[in-house]
Amino acid sequence: SNRAGAMGARNDDDDDEPVALFLSGWSDGPLPQLERVLRRRGLRCVYVSLPMPPCGATWCANPFVLLLAVVLWLTIVAAERLAATHPALIVVAVAVGSLLARLCVAGVVRFSVHHGAANARRLLRRHRVAMVVGFS
């Protein structure tokens, strides 16, 4: 596949030849078979880099991942401290921590979607795209 180098600077492979832009989700599914068929027919295939939490290294650059870790740590610390003095407030600490964690998870996903969309837009400008194929 042409995943490596798909996000770099314009190179000698970037000309006016039509390409198929591939957007792959959690698994490639039928994309490798489709890629082979399209390549045999002379169409170059380019994969869009899509950060897919929680796998791969790209999603680690997502600032909401760090924020989620901090929220979880603070929730545990608050619950431990309240257990000794105000056991009833543990429920409040866990509820607030759960709500904040939920917001952080939404931020992780939203950031990843925006990052992936920016990668796709960049490749759409860079290539003459004959088709866009996605699978998740």
Side-chain angles (χ1 to χ4, degrees), residues 80-106:
E80 285 179 347
R81 291 196 178 160
L82 289 170
T85 56
H86 300 82
L89 290 178
I90 293 175
V91 174
V92 174
V94 170
V96 169
S98 297
L99 175 64
L100 291 175
R102 166 62 183 94
L103 293 173
C104 289
V105 169

Side-chain angles (χ1 to χ4, degrees), residues 6-24:
M7 293 308 304
R10 196 166 176 87
N11 60 39
D12 294 336
D13 291 335
D14 298 332
D15 56 13
D16 284 339
E17 90 177 284
V19 300
L21 208 58
F22 278 32
L23 295 98
S24 179

Side-chain angles (χ1 to χ4, degrees), residues 16-92:
D16 284 339
E17 90 177 284
V19 300
L21 208 58
F22 278 32
L23 295 98
S24 179
W26 291 100
S27 79
D28 287 340
L31 292 181
Q33 292 82 2
L34 178 61
E35 180 179 4
R36 281 194 296 277
V37 170
L38 292 175
R39 285 184 186 277
R40 278 195 300 258
R41 294 181 181 200
L43 194 61
R44 192 161 63 99
C45 301
V46 177
Y47 280 82
V48 176
S49 173
L50 298 174
M52 298 293 293
C55 59
T58 306
W59 75 279
C60 290
N62 188 324
F64 290 96
V65 172
L66 177 61
L67 187 57
L68 177 60
V70 169
V71 165
L72 294 175
W73 178 76
L74 287 175
T75 301
I76 291 168
V77 169
E80 285 179 347
R81 291 196 178 160
L82 289 170
T85 56
H86 300 82
L89 290 178
I90 293 175
V91 174
V92 174

Side-chain angles (χ1 to χ4, degrees), residues 110 116 126:
R110 186 177 193 96
R126 183 173 156 187

